[in-house]
Amino acid sequence: MLSSSFLLAAFVALSGPSAADAQLQPGVYLSSAEVVRNAPARPGHVERHQPARGHLVVVADGTHAVHHVPTAHAWGFANAEHQVFRLVKHQAYLVTHQDSVVLYSRPRTVQYGRNANTFTEQFFSIGLDGELYPLTRRKLRQQLAAR
């Protein structure tokens, strides 16, 4: 069985460069259409990206005005390092590759008694607005066949 890391690397190598490889403006994006246009609804520096708190805090460049954007209305955000995150059910997923199939990752910590291990979970969606699925051969094959 192929590991999801190998599957991810093979997919990215086959599909070549994508729109996610281009740097997106920092700020909060309210829809995937804004991501495609690289035009955030609230441009600026995302101060806090703790979606579970119910909002994102954005400081506008130039004016330094502070905006609180409800996560329920946000598609996602780009940080100062131009990393793009999609918000789904109060969780932020890093967009690692954007094409017809969008790849995501997020760290997950698992507690084993006093020890904790952090690993990277990988997900995918069909298009920017598609449902997120764990990145496995079986799920990827099912979703591509359903297209």
Side-chain angles (χ1 to χ4, degrees), residues 15-109:
S15 57
S18 72
D21 299 331
Q23 293 186 347
L24 288 179
Q25 285 186 355
V28 175
Y29 293 83
L30 300 182
S31 69
S32 60
E34 291 176 358
V35 173
V36 172
R37 289 191 319 262
N38 193 8
R42 290 286 184 193
H45 176 71
V46 178
E47 279 289 310
R48 282 177 252 142
H49 60 276
Q50 298 172 338
R53 292 190 178 221
H55 66 275
L56 298 168
V57 178
V58 183
V59 178
D61 294 332
T63 65
H64 301 290
V66 177
H67 302 282
H68 295 269
V69 180
T71 56
H73 297 117
W75 178 90
F77 64 93
N79 63 15
E81 291 81 36
H82 304 284
Q83 294 174 310
V84 180
F85 294 85
R86 180 177 172 192
L87 300 173
V88 178
K89 297 181 183 175
H90 301 290
Q91 295 290 321
Y93 295 85
L94 175 65
V95 177
T96 58
H97 185 79
Q98 177 184 325
D99 208 340
S100 59
V101 175
V102 182
L103 302 178
Y104 307 89
S105 68
R106 73 170 179 176
R108 181 174 177 206
T109 302

Side-chain angles (χ1 to χ4, degrees), residues 4-5 8 94 96 104-110 117-123 135:
S4 60
S5 298
L8 174 70
L94 175 65
T96 58
Y104 307 89
S105 68
R106 73 170 179 176
R108 181 174 177 206
T109 302
V110 177
N117 290 331
T118 301
F119 62 95
T120 302
E121 290 183 304
Q122 297 170 342
F123 300 87
L135 183 61

